[in-house]
Amino acid sequence: MTEPSKITSQNVPDHQPAAGGIAARARASVGPKYLSGLNPEQREAVETLDGPVLVLAGAGTGKTRVLTTRIAHILSQGRARPAEILSVTFTNKAAREMKHRLGQMLGHAVEGMPWLGTFHSIGGRILRFHAELAQLKSNFTVLDVDDQVRLLKQLLQAENIDDKRWPARMLAGLIDGWKNRGLMPSQVPSGEAAVFANGKGGKLYASYQERLKILNAADFGDLLLENIRIFREHPDILRQYQQRFKYILVDEYQDTNVAQYLWLRLLSQAPSQPALPVAAAPDAIDDPSRDAALAAQALAPAAARLKNICCVGDDDQSIYGWRGAEVDNILRFEHDFPGAKVIRLERNYRSTGHILAAASHLIAHNEGRLGKTLRTEDQDGEKVTVTGSWDSEEEARGIGEEIEQLQRQGEKLNEIAILVRASYQMREFEDRFVTLGLPYRVIGGPRFYERAEIRDALAYLRVINSPADDLAFERIVNTPKRGLGDATVQMLHDHARKRRIPLFEAARAVVETDELKPKARGSLRDLVAQFDRWRAQREVTAHTDLAQIVLDESGYTEMWQKDRSADAAGRLENLKELVRSMEEFENLQGFLEHISLVMDREGGAEDDAVSLMTLHSAKGLEFDNVFLPGWEEGLFPSQRTLDEQGRAGLEEERRLGHVGLTRARRRAKIYFATNRRIHGTWSTTIPSRFLDELPAANVEITESKGGSAWGGTGGYGASRFDDMEAFGSSYSTPGWQRAQANRNRGGGRSGGGRGGFEEEATTFSTSSSSGPDFGSFSSRRRGPLTIEGELVAKSTGTTSEFSLEDRVFHQKFGYGRVTKIDGNKLTIAFDKAGEKKVVDSFVQRA
DNA sequence: TCGAGGTCTCTTTTT
DNA sequence: GAGACCTCGA
């Protein structure tokens, strides 16, 4: 961690050449080694060092390379020292990648890039230096969503608000949204504040902020919002940072929200400016639009001198609108930063011709774009494939087989990725891969520190570090069980509130009284004594040892050792990993500061394994082979996005598809299933409209390879596409056309009022009572099954046609005997393959 | 106070 | 189908 004093220290290097001097230009024209290999646009983006620059970098055009080379260029030209460059990314992954590449380019110089990180980690860092200006101590805790929700729940209870009707999670979302837009409680438009709990929303936001201060805690949004407040209220501090950061680089600019925009905007003004007039924000803004919000934020006039800010982004890859990102920020860059130079990178170095054409064609359906035309000099390669499957299980099976085939052809599993829209899609693949023995890793997923055992362990450490952290104390006061239940905690709360002290101090006081039953009193006293001891030990014990001691002495480790459940061993392993990971930090404080912001799960990258992740977390990655399952209406594009965001949501979904396709270097394989299990029940789905938007010339329809389980040659997949030779602007099977017709008629039928497709997926879903009997179903098995609802029902509620002990045959597992029936799911003891659970439609009577 | 067992809801994406 | 939440009996 850099010391606070370093912020103002300005040890300017003594060899700083004049900006743009002849010598510098001469050097540049010959070009240092790191510039070689850049194309002209990239080179321009690297070498245009003065003034605002917007680099519109399409997928695979060398965005990260430009950013890192630009930093290298600034450093080697002596324009700034490493600590004078502010370089922000959105994800830790991106920050790490940049550090890594810089390290390769520059050797040891990365050590000194203290201001390369995510918006939140840098905001958090700045906030720690000035914590007292936000009524916090520098060891404040960063709350995650879980803590946030628990805290809000308490507030709702205190206000006697029914948290069934007004869920804490919803309020958390609202507050987060306000913070993303840079709004303090007093600035929330009154109309918006009123939507929650009959007008209490604004008040709750205010009291939530108050509680945070008392708890010595900040949430993610605060990390930037408090920065902005401090910058506004203390122009001298702002000026320090403006002076310090000679160059600002922003990655993924299209994903910035209003708060991030304001933050950047403040920092990017030239330091010589006299202190900005700090306009008092009005108490309420009635128009929630961006312009009004920004106007009320009293931005410096557009003519303010701006310094060297370089934003890199791609409007076609803006996929975080739901999180408050404003594509508008990038669309308006030239307006916001007058005199900005805009450089387009359109030469794609990643994908083959067909893939790029498919992606470009798809994204061309969006209206709000700056417009770029990606081109490649690569060969056309293989066409993008579209494969229909009967259901999501067949889809997983088919993909599994294709992967095995690729593996046989010598493809590395590391070069294979499956990108899903929603994380619940992953399970089916995991199940399949476990069956196949195919190594895979899930990227993203629940973060390491979000696991219960990690959060528990952290809670112990948080209480040691920050005794006012009531949320942490509450979490572990009865974990492991100490006989301190709700009643005791409630009592502590009353005490704490009355005397305005933290829960921990309340506990200390209460054990001196006889308000508690002897048993509870005894264990609470022990707990308080333990924490006192651990805090004392902290001074003399290494933090990793301390953590181990705490886990052991508290009985937490023992709790899991005694646990007989299957995942207990894994949890103990995670705890060990946690202690190990602490070694990277100097002390407990430093560890806790970073854990919530910087720690994400890595590991296993050396092993050859298939990557499984959401489309969102795939951004910035690339693979030779990309599988894109689940291209169905409702799932992708997501119904919820459509409902909530309408047309803008649809465009964002389309961008997500564009992101997915452009991850692929050589093969992109799209899938859709006709039936998908959602919440445990089967629903019928129709293919995604995005499939229609792919250019016929670059796409090939293939047959599902997993369809063999249907018996008969060719299986279902072949028949599905029998009539599809002419793949054009629409499919030609009767079912597809019917679906299209259904989609198009009845606009305005639903409350959403946007087109008629909103209810499509549910319209087709089959209730258990209307399911066909399997006799008629199997008789149709070879016919051209369509996607009409009445033909495809296969719901869990249907009683199976099989009986216990029936002898059955399964295409893949061979012969077996039914041992258990649960709806349409059979447990079958196969003669060769052992016991498996299968859906009854996949087996036949032997 | 605790655990078992039942009911209910919810499922997008993440710093 | 899982996980959160609630109720009830010990």
Side-chain angles (χ1 to χ4, degrees):
Chain A
M1 216 54 242
T2 315
E3 294 301 310
S5 61
K6 280 198 184 166
I7 287 186
T8 46
S9 72
Q10 297 281 327
N11 306 321
V12 178
D14 50 14
H15 58 278
Q16 194 155 10
I22 294 174
R25 256 181 291 154
R27 224 180 316 164
S29 67
V30 177
K33 205 171 74 191
Y34 56 79
L35 290 178
S36 63
L38 295 181
N39 67 33
E41 307 87 69
Q42 290 175 330
R43 187 152 173 170
E44 190 183 11
V46 166
E47 293 187 303
T48 309
L49 292 183
D50 298 311
V53 178
L54 174 65
V55 181
L56 287 174
T61 55
K63 176 184 63 116
T64 310
R65 180 163 186 202
V66 163
L67 272 175
T68 47
T69 313
R70 188 179 162 93
I71 292 175
H73 191 57
I74 291 167
L75 293 172
S76 78
Q77 295 289 302
R79 291 289 197 101
R81 299 182 312 137
E84 293 168 342
I85 300 174
L86 172 66
S87 184
V88 277
T89 64
F90 271 82
T91 63
N92 293 306
K93 202 163 61 184
R96 263 199 310 272
E97 170 77 10
M98 277 184 68
K99 277 186 179 159
H100 176 69
R101 293 221 212 163
L102 263 177
Q104 286 179 327
M105 220 178 281
L106 299 171
H108 302 291
V110 243
E111 297 297 322
M113 291 281 302
W115 300 101
L116 192 167
T118 63
F119 275 101
H120 290 91
S121 66
I122 290 175
R125 184 140 180 241
I126 291 176
L127 186 54
R128 285 198 198 274
F129 290 136
H130 312 285
E132 74 292 349
L133 298 177
Q135 296 99 57
L136 293 168
K137 292 188 222 128
S138 69
N139 67 345
F140 67 81
T141 310
V142 178
L143 297 189
D144 58 31
V145 183
D146 223 68
D147 288 326
Q148 246 183 78
V149 170
R150 277 193 300 146
L151 178 52
L152 287 171
K153 232 174 229 169
Q154 291 174 8
L155 290 176
L156 290 175
Q157 267 162 16
E159 288 282 325
N160 262 327
I161 296 169
D162 178 12
D163 76 345
K164 277 262 161 53
R165 193 161 139 64
W166 303 105
R169 202 160 276 282
M170 176 182 170
L171 181 56
L174 282 173
I175 291 177
D176 197 49
W178 290 326
K179 288 185 175 179
N180 283 340
R181 280 159 53 203
L183 300 171
M184 315 288 293
S186 63
Q187 299 168 301
V188 177
S190 47
E192 276 184 65
V195 300
F196 190 86
N198 306 319
K200 289 190 180 149
K203 189 176 160 230
L204 285 163
Y205 179 18
S207 43
Y208 169 70
Q209 289 304 103
E210 276 172 37
R211 280 291 288 159
L212 287 179
K213 308 299 180 199
I214 294 167
L215 295 172
N216 189 30
D219 63 18
F220 279 113
D222 284 341
L223 298 179
L224 287 168
L225 196 56
E226 293 290 3
N227 271 209
I228 294 171
R229 200 228 312 252
I230 290 169
F231 289 160
R232 287 231 186 83
E233 292 176 358
H234 303 273
D236 51 318
I237 291 176
L238 174 60
R239 216 172 308 128
Q240 278 176 29
Y241 287 97
Q242 287 172 335
Q243 272 159 4
R244 177 175 197 86
F245 300 134
K246 298 213 161 69
Y247 287 88
I248 298 177
L249 293 91
V250 187
D251 190 17
E252 309 279 18
Y253 187 66
Q254 77 281 356
D255 287 336
T256 48
N257 58 37
V258 172
Q260 287 157 338
Y261 170 84
L262 291 168
W263 187 82
L264 282 172
R265 182 78 196 205
L266 286 162
L267 287 172
S268 64
Q269 267 140 8
S272 54
Q273 281 288 103
L276 289 169
V278 183
D283 281 338
I285 307 160
D286 284 326
D287 181 351
S289 79
R290 176 179 184 272
D291 279 338
L294 293 185
Q297 301 283 344
L299 278 186
R305 285 210 294 130
L306 299 163
K307 64 173 163 198
N308 309 311
I309 180 167
C310 173
C311 297
V312 179
D314 179 3
D315 51 315
D316 291 336
Q317 291 187 64
S318 162
I319 54 175
Y320 285 109
W322 52 275
R323 213 171 75 191
E326 288 281 342
V327 205
D328 233 28
N329 285 346
I330 195 167
L331 299 178
R332 299 183 20 148
F333 187 88
E334 290 176 85
H335 174 268
D336 290 338
F337 296 90
K341 176 129 195 176
V342 179
I343 299 167
R344 283 183 157 75
L345 305 184
E346 298 179 304
R347 201 178 312 187
N348 176 291
Y349 293 98
R350 180 185 297 155
S351 312
T352 56
H354 282 311
I355 293 172
L356 206 56
S360 303
H361 205 271
L362 174 66
I363 198 66
H365 288 79
N366 273 4
E367 282 172 9
R369 303 177 64 209
L370 289 171
K372 280 184 306 324
T373 314
L374 289 176
R375 54 176 196 276
T376 177
E377 283 156 25
D378 200 350
Q379 53 198 1
D380 282 350
E382 293 179 27
K383 287 189 177 182
V384 173
T385 64
V386 173
T387 309
S389 317
W390 167 247
D391 63 17
S392 43
E393 288 175 3
E394 185 186 294
E395 179 184 74
R397 220 172 20 245
I399 289 178
E401 278 175 32
E402 286 207 52
I403 290 175
E404 287 185 318
Q405 200 179 329
L406 287 171
Q407 200 179 16
R408 283 193 293 273
Q409 292 167 11
E411 294 283 331
K412 282 255 165 294
L413 295 184
N414 276 335
E415 283 303 335
I416 299 174
I418 300 176
L419 311 182
V420 296
R421 176 63 183 84
S423 44
Y424 68 77
Q425 289 172 262
M426 291 187 187
R427 245 202 47 200
E428 219 134 15
F429 291 101
E430 294 195 58
D431 288 352
R432 192 64 204 149
F433 292 165
V434 168
T435 313
L436 293 175
L438 202 62
Y440 70 93
R441 66 175 145 258
V442 175
I443 300 194
R447 247 159 290 290
F448 183 69
Y449 64 82
E450 279 170 5
R451 291 157 179 275
E453 66 277 17
I454 300 302
R455 294 171 49 88
D456 289 340
L458 286 174
Y460 274 99
L461 298 174
R462 274 163 60 182
V463 176
I464 293 173
N465 186 55
S466 177
D469 195 334
D470 287 0
L471 290 166
F473 181 73
E474 219 175 323
R475 185 177 177 96
I476 48 86
V477 66
N478 201 29
T479 311
K481 299 270 179 280
R482 299 188 173 88
L484 302 171
D486 289 348
T488 310
V489 172
Q490 197 49 53
M491 212 220 95
L492 288 178
H493 263 297
D494 293 344
H495 237 273
R497 198 170 312 134
K498 238 178 275 162
R499 308 203 191 163
R500 300 179 166 280
I501 53 174
L503 282 180
F504 186 86
E505 292 311 317
R508 189 194 297 283
V510 164
V511 294
E512 298 305 322
T513 70
D514 50 8
E515 288 176 66
L516 283 174
K517 296 210 179 81
K519 210 172 146 201
R521 186 177 163 186
S523 47
L524 190 60
R525 186 185 345 202
D526 289 349
L527 187 67
V528 170
Q530 271 183 320
F531 270 107
D532 284 341
R533 199 170 64 243
W534 292 329
R535 284 195 193 116
Q537 257 176 306
R538 180 183 180 177
E539 308 302 322
V540 293
T541 316
H543 60 296
T544 47
D545 296 340
L546 180 67
Q548 194 60 58
I549 289 169
V550 171
L551 290 176
D552 291 342
E553 291 186 358
S554 63
Y556 192 74
T557 315
E558 193 188 350
M559 179 182 102
W560 286 116
Q561 281 164 346
K562 281 188 180 154
D563 191 299
R564 304 305 301 161
S565 61
D567 51 356
R571 293 180 192 271
L572 285 165
E573 196 49 50
N574 288 337
L575 290 171
K576 272 191 205 147
E577 175 60 32
L578 179 76
V579 174
R580 257 200 303 275
S581 73
M582 290 176 73
E583 285 169 14
E584 294 168 34
F585 299 89
E586 264 176 46
N587 51 39
L588 184 61
Q589 163 91 34
F591 170 72
L592 289 174
E593 277 175 18
H594 277 89
I595 184 74
S596 51
L597 290 176
V598 179
M599 187 145 167
D600 46 20
R601 195 172 54 160
E602 292 174 88
E606 323 73 58
D607 306 329
D608 198 32
V610 176
S611 299
L612 186 51
M613 69 189 94
T614 64
L615 285 162
H616 282 87
S617 45
K619 193 163 74 159
L621 303 178
E622 56 185 86
F623 301 88
D624 279 343
N625 306 287
V626 170
F627 290 86
L628 300 160
W631 283 43
E632 297 134 34
E633 287 294 307
L635 174 59
F636 185 54
S638 145
Q639 191 58 58
R640 188 158 156 189
T641 304
L642 261 34
D643 290 345
E644 288 170 7
Q645 326 267 345
R647 178 166 196 86
L650 176 61
E651 296 215 337
E652 182 154 312
E653 294 286 298
R654 199 178 274 118
R655 290 194 289 268
L656 208 42
H658 176 255
V659 167
L661 280 167
T662 52
R663 297 310 95 195
R665 291 197 199 97
R666 287 162 44 214
R667 289 188 197 92
K669 294 174 170 296
I670 300 173
Y671 293 78
F672 66 88
T674 310
N675 294 283
R676 186 167 294 276
R677 189 167 37 194
I678 303 169
H679 323 180
T681 40
W682 287 97
S683 303
T684 304
T685 53
I686 58 175
S688 170
R689 71 193 74 189
F690 295 154
L691 294 174
D692 257 353
E693 297 173 357
L694 297 172
N698 310 97
V699 174
E700 180 191 359
I701 307 295
T702 74
E703 177 186 322
S704 169
K705 293 201 173 58
S708 54
W710 284 93
T713 49
Y716 162 70
S719 62
R720 174 76 173 78
F721 291 109
D722 277 352
D723 299 323
M724 295 185 60
E725 286 148 33
F727 179 73
S729 61
S730 80
Y731 295 93
S732 48
T733 57
W736 171 248
Q737 284 173 351
R738 178 84 61 95
Q740 290 288 332
N742 278 334
R743 176 195 295 177
N744 294 331
R745 73 158 181 254
R749 167 186 55 178
S750 74
R754 285 175 311 277
F757 47 78
E758 284 91 341
E759 295 172 357
E760 213 57 48
T762 44
T763 305
F764 280 133
S765 65
T766 48
S767 70
S768 51
S769 58
S770 68
D773 67 83
F774 279 91
S776 75
F777 185 65
S778 35
S779 71
R780 287 173 188 271
R781 200 176 278 173
R782 280 158 200 271
L785 289 176
T786 69
I787 53 177
E788 287 150 318
E790 68 270 20
L791 278 184
V792 294
K794 217 179 60 157
S795 79
T796 42
T798 318
T799 331
S800 174
E801 60 169 336
F802 294 96
S803 323
L804 281 177
E805 298 297 320
D806 273 0
R807 189 81 181 146
V808 293
F809 176 74
H810 186 281
Q811 196 70 24
K812 178 130 187 163
F813 301 131
Y815 289 94
R817 177 176 52 86
V818 178
T819 58
K820 198 174 156 224
I821 302 175
D822 177 16
N824 67 336
K825 281 178 305 238
L826 308 176
T827 305
I828 299 172
F830 287 104
D831 300 348
K832 298 223 170 72
E835 195 169 83
K836 307 256 183 222
K837 261 192 180 173
V838 289
V839 175
D840 61 359
S841 49
F842 288 114
V843 297
Q844 307 158 12
R845 261 180 232 284

